[in-house]
Amino acid sequence: MALSLPILVLLSSLYLIAFVLAIGAERRRNTGEVVPDEYDERTFCVYGSSASTVYGLSAFAALLVSQVVVCGATRCLCPRRGITSGGGGAGGGARACTVCSFVFSWLSFLGAEACLLAGSARNAYHTKYVGYYLKKDLTSCAALRKGVFAAAAALIMISMATSLLTYWSHSRADTGGWMKHENDVGVNMADHGAHNVEFSSTKA
């Protein structure tokens, strides 16, 4: 299986979209401010825009689609002649690279998805508690800590690099295996043909 340019473009686009959305979610994190009620002596939390949650969930979806595309392109490393065939050298190195990059791509993918999902859920949470202004018992509002979406963005880039490496090395190992198989078949057929010619000459 040769490398497909449309698949490479699609994967790169999905990962970059997820990365940009994760960065946007980090920059638009929801923050709350304790303000007094204008009608009584109570205080409550006022929050800004919840765009960060939308960005985080959109990045989650884009990253999920990209991982599905990778699994479809590599067939989740299902046993194939190109991958499972024996032999050392470049073919064995490509197969080892495929397996290692596949494992790291899944680990980084799961980490990024966990950060995106947890960050989006936490960002959507608003403090409902109402305190008393004179007692000052409401001093802060619940908010997502800084760096959660940034960590997701970093893991997205790692997942992008390892997934593209998985696809490239899988294509190399798969193509190399089939080429070796076809060459072996050609050599066997040539030997068989030469043997038949030799047998016919001897018989004549």
Side-chain angles (χ1 to χ4, degrees):
M1 180 184 65
L3 283 172
S4 173
L5 183 59
I7 292 179
L8 289 175
V9 173
L10 177 61
L11 283 175
S12 301
S13 301
L14 287 172
Y15 279 113
L16 291 177
I17 289 173
F19 174 77
V20 171
L21 288 172
I23 294 297
E26 177 66 25
R27 294 175 62 88
R28 297 292 300 274
R29 287 182 303 108
N30 205 354
T31 57
E33 181 183 0
V34 179
V35 297
D37 194 312
E38 59 180 334
Y39 299 108
D40 53 31
E41 296 181 350
R42 294 175 180 266
T43 55
F44 58 95
C45 290
V46 174
Y47 288 87
S49 173
S50 296
S52 182
T53 299
V54 178
Y55 290 162
L57 293 177
S58 299
F60 179 92
L63 185 59
L64 181 61
V65 172
S66 65
Q67 191 70 10
V68 171
V69 173
V70 171
C71 290
T74 60
R75 297 174 179 85
C76 292
L77 301 188
C78 293
R80 288 173 61 88
R81 228 173 300 188
I83 296 297
T84 59
S85 59
R95 287 190 292 273
C97 182
T98 301
V99 174
C100 292
S101 57
F102 183 75
V103 172
F104 280 108
S105 69
W106 267 102
L107 292 177
S108 55
F109 163 75
L110 293 175
E113 291 288 71
C115 289
L116 290 171
L117 190 60
S120 299
R122 183 60 178 173
N123 186 78
Y125 176 77
H126 292 174
T127 299
K128 305 295 184 181
Y129 177 73
V130 177
Y132 288 93
Y133 180 74
L134 294 178
K135 294 182 179 180
K136 298 184 183 299
D137 54 353
L138 183 60
T139 58
S140 62
C141 302
L144 176 66
R145 291 184 177 182
K146 185 177 181 180
V148 176
F149 287 119
L155 289 172
I156 288 172
M157 296 307 294
I158 296 175
S159 180
M160 174 182 176
T162 53
S163 295
L164 292 178
L165 180 59
T166 299
Y167 178 56
W168 172 80
S169 56
H170 174 272
S171 301
R172 182 183 177 189
D174 195 20
T175 304
W178 278 107
M179 290 176 62
K180 181 178 183 300
H181 175 70
E182 291 175 357
N183 291 337
D184 292 342
V185 171
V187 170
N188 291 335
M189 291 182 64
D191 292 341
H192 182 70
H195 177 72
N196 288 340
V197 171
E198 182 180 356
F199 178 76
S200 300
S201 300
T202 303
K203 185 176 181 181

